[in-house]
Amino acid sequence: MFERLLEIADDHLILGHRLSELTGHAPTLEEELALPNIALDLIGQARALYEHAGIVEGKGRSEDDLAYLRPERAYRHCLLVERPNQDFAHVVLRQLYFSAFMAPYWHAAQESEDDTVAGIAGKAVKEARYHIRHAGEWVIRLGDGTEESAARMAEAVAELTRYTPELFEPDDTPGLPDPAEMRGEWDATIAHVFHEAKLELPEVPYPQTGGRAGRHGEVLGHLLAELQYMQRAYPGATW
């Protein structure tokens, strides 16, 4: 249970940090408000998961210990969420791919025999559905937009889709949903959005995986240098 909670918490923390990097750099005023709010949702979910993971582990580690004081290879998030904010098309597509997975995951987790997991899922599923709607509307707007926006969206699809199979790696941890069972609903959500956006979901003959085993890209080192700076420089610091 601890390892699986850590994986999900890391997914949310790293993606929340990626979105927070856009604060002050969003393309519209509306997104200047929306993206940090989505980041706060994700980081809030990460906090709840880290706190529960620390209790399950039973070694006295706090949410801050788990979030900020682990080395790079100890992070267990999927590779999709650490991908850089290359441009806005990448940002909204990455969010759509992840949220389309998490919405059915949280829906299933509401039936968990673990009361804390079920409680976290009850709040998170509503947020994930909003994230799908927000990101999906942008994917449609860009994919079915100008020649340039459609080209950039197609480029994002070609770049990011190879990271999605890692979301569905089977897991039989008691008290948590099996990620493999989310594939059908994810496919349906993406197919609906892509139809409206005039995009095609490519085949992925060579998936990019390894994040769950702690094998990450070079980009993670740069991300953690910023994410962990305050706790590394001022151990035990609190707001």
Side-chain angles (χ1 to χ4, degrees), residues 10-156:
D10 287 346
D11 284 347
H12 288 74
L13 177 70
I14 298 301
L15 184 54
H17 183 79
R18 275 288 184 233
L19 291 179
S20 74
E21 292 174 345
L22 293 166
T23 303
H25 302 283
T28 67
L29 180 58
E30 179 186 11
E31 288 308 295
E32 192 61 46
L33 300 173
L35 293 178
N37 273 299
I38 294 174
L40 286 173
D41 288 344
L42 296 172
I43 292 172
Q45 292 158 17
R47 288 190 62 188
L49 290 163
Y50 282 134
E51 181 180 8
H52 189 43
I55 292 171
V56 170
E57 183 189 36
K59 295 182 179 178
R61 288 202 284 181
S62 68
E63 61 186 74
D64 287 342
D65 294 332
L66 293 171
Y68 296 121
L69 299 178
R70 286 182 293 144
E72 180 178 330
R73 290 295 298 267
Y75 281 81
R76 292 292 184 267
H77 58 270
C78 61
L79 296 178
L80 174 68
V81 298
E82 71 181 38
R83 301 310 304 155
N85 302 321
Q86 188 163 322
D87 70 15
F88 192 62
H90 284 70
V91 171
V92 293
L93 182 66
R94 182 185 62 202
Q95 192 63 50
L96 176 65
Y97 279 164
F98 182 71
S99 300
F101 168 75
M102 285 309 306
Y105 185 91
W106 286 131
H107 179 76
Q110 292 179 104
E111 304 301 322
S112 173
E113 61 195 31
D114 184 311
D115 290 341
T116 302
V117 169
I120 296 170
K123 179 174 184 291
V125 69
K126 300 171 186 173
E127 295 170 340
R129 287 170 181 160
Y130 164 74
H131 299 167
I132 290 176
R133 186 168 70 250
H134 183 84
E137 287 174 354
W138 271 111
V139 169
I140 293 170
R141 196 176 301 166
L142 296 177
D144 191 25
T146 66
E147 182 177 343
E148 180 175 353
S149 73
R152 290 193 179 202
M153 185 53 69
E155 180 188 351

